[in-house]
Amino acid sequence: MFEPGQCVSIDASNTLTAVKCADPHQLEITSQVSLQEVFPDHTPTVEEQDRYLQDVCTQAAQDFMGSEENL
């Protein structure tokens, strides 16, 4: 699992690897979310995850960057 502030590279086989943020990367982790807390009684479908995470991830990125404008 990656921590907020870590940068992540994705290789040709779709393997995620933490890298220094000064190195080329595709992702920067802004927060961690536990879906088990939101869906305690079942494994959420992709659609359920998308509906829940859309706003959560947008807000996490804005908070991480300091504002909507910085995003």
Side-chain angles (χ1 to χ4, degrees):
M1 184 174 299
F2 301 105
E3 298 293 326
Q6 280 188 297
C7 293
V8 179
S9 177
I10 306 170
D11 67 18
S13 65
N14 288 326
T15 300
L16 303 175
T17 304
V19 297
K20 294 179 182 177
C21 289
D23 293 344
H25 58 277
Q26 291 80 19
L27 304 170
E28 185 167 353
I29 306 304
T30 60
S31 72
Q32 292 180 350
V33 176
S34 172
L35 293 179
Q36 186 176 18
E37 295 172 10
V38 179
F39 302 99
D41 59 341
H42 69 285
T43 300
T45 65
V46 171
E47 292 80 13
E48 288 174 313
Q49 292 177 53
D50 286 347
R51 275 193 301 274
Y52 175 72
L53 292 172
Q54 180 177 5
D55 292 337
V56 170
C57 291
T58 298
Q59 187 62 53
Q62 288 175 3
D63 292 347
F64 186 81
M65 297 297 293
S67 70
E68 183 177 357
E69 291 78 31
N70 290 341
L71 181 59

